[in-house]
């Protein structure tokens, strides 16, 4: 019991240090498995397991599976990462993957929700809206915000 408490205290301390450090945050969203296909990817909080002839494990700050909604991903970004911009840190939202893997859907949402005020919008629009709300609430006194959107083929 004592070892479990000590382990828990150490884990809480390390998590606190991790959340407050100035570093690169990596959040992964796996595309949903379509049809009756068999997925070789499994997600557990911050671990992505890829199975095949051998299994490989990859660790990130947070990993979202194929059933994750835009709301879940955006809520995490807004609550855990976005406030770092007010501390003078640079933020970059990047989607990477092959054609048809869901990059545009994650970043900008479906076409019918492509508006900043839309709750169905993508991560880019929601992040801009959330950052504006933080600035309106007086969280920072003197802030310059610059945005760029870049799509590479």
């Amino acid at each position: 019991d004592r070892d479990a408490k000590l382990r828990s205290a150490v884990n809480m301390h390390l998590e606190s240090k991790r959340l407050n450090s100035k570093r690169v945050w990596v959040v992964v969203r796996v595309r949903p498995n379509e049809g009756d296909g068999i997925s070789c990817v499994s997600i557990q909080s911050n671990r992505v397991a890829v199975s095949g002839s051998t299994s490989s494990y990859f660790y990130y700050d947070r990993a979202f599976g194929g059933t994750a909604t835009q709301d879940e991903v955006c809520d995490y970004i807004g609550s855990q990462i976005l406030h770092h911009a007010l501390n003078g840190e640079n933020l970059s939202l990047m989607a990477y993957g092959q054609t048809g893997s869901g990059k545009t859907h994650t970043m900008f949402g479906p076409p019918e929700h492509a508006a900043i005020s839309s709750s169905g919008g993508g991560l880019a629009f929601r992040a801009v809206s959330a950052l504006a709300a933080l600035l309106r609430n007086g969280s920072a006194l003197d802030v310059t915000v610059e945005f760029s959107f870049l799509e590479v083929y």
Side-chain angles (χ1 to χ4, degrees):
D1 189 45
R2 181 174 179 248
D3 287 343
K5 287 181 182 178
L6 181 59
R7 194 171 19 258
S8 176
V10 168
N11 285 337
M12 285 177 34
H13 174 73
L14 291 174
E15 182 69 3
S16 173
K17 287 288 203 187
R18 183 184 72 79
L19 291 174
N20 292 316
S21 68
K22 290 189 176 188
R23 59 179 185 72
V24 174
W25 286 64
V26 180
V27 178
V28 174
R29 182 181 195 185
V30 175
R31 181 180 183 187
N33 191 16
E34 293 181 0
D36 294 332
I38 298 171
S39 178
C40 64
V41 176
S42 64
I43 307 290
Q44 288 183 332
S45 183
N46 69 334
R47 184 181 89 164
V48 175
V50 180
S51 58
S53 57
T54 61
S55 292
S56 298
Y57 301 96
F58 303 93
Y59 294 87
Y60 303 96
D61 292 297
R62 181 71 165 87
F64 292 94
T67 59
T69 65
Q70 291 284 76
D71 287 336
E72 290 175 82
V73 176
C74 293
D75 287 348
Y76 180 83
I77 298 296
S79 68
Q80 298 297 319
I81 298 174
L82 200 56
H83 67 277
H84 289 280
L86 301 179
N87 296 331
E89 296 177 49
N90 295 316
L91 300 183
S92 176
L93 304 176
M94 183 179 86
Y96 174 80
Q98 68 186 42
T99 299
S101 63
K103 300 177 297 295
T104 301
H105 173 78
T106 294
M107 296 303 285
F108 301 109
E112 64 270 15
H113 293 292
I116 291 176
S117 63
S118 174
S119 63
L123 182 58
F125 295 132
R126 291 180 187 210
V128 168
S129 182
L131 184 58
L134 288 172
L135 293 170
R136 276 192 302 273
N137 291 335
S139 299
L141 298 175
D142 186 22
V143 175
T144 300
V145 178
E146 295 179 19
F147 293 99
S148 297
F149 291 97
L150 174 67
E151 189 170 357
V152 178
Y153 289 97

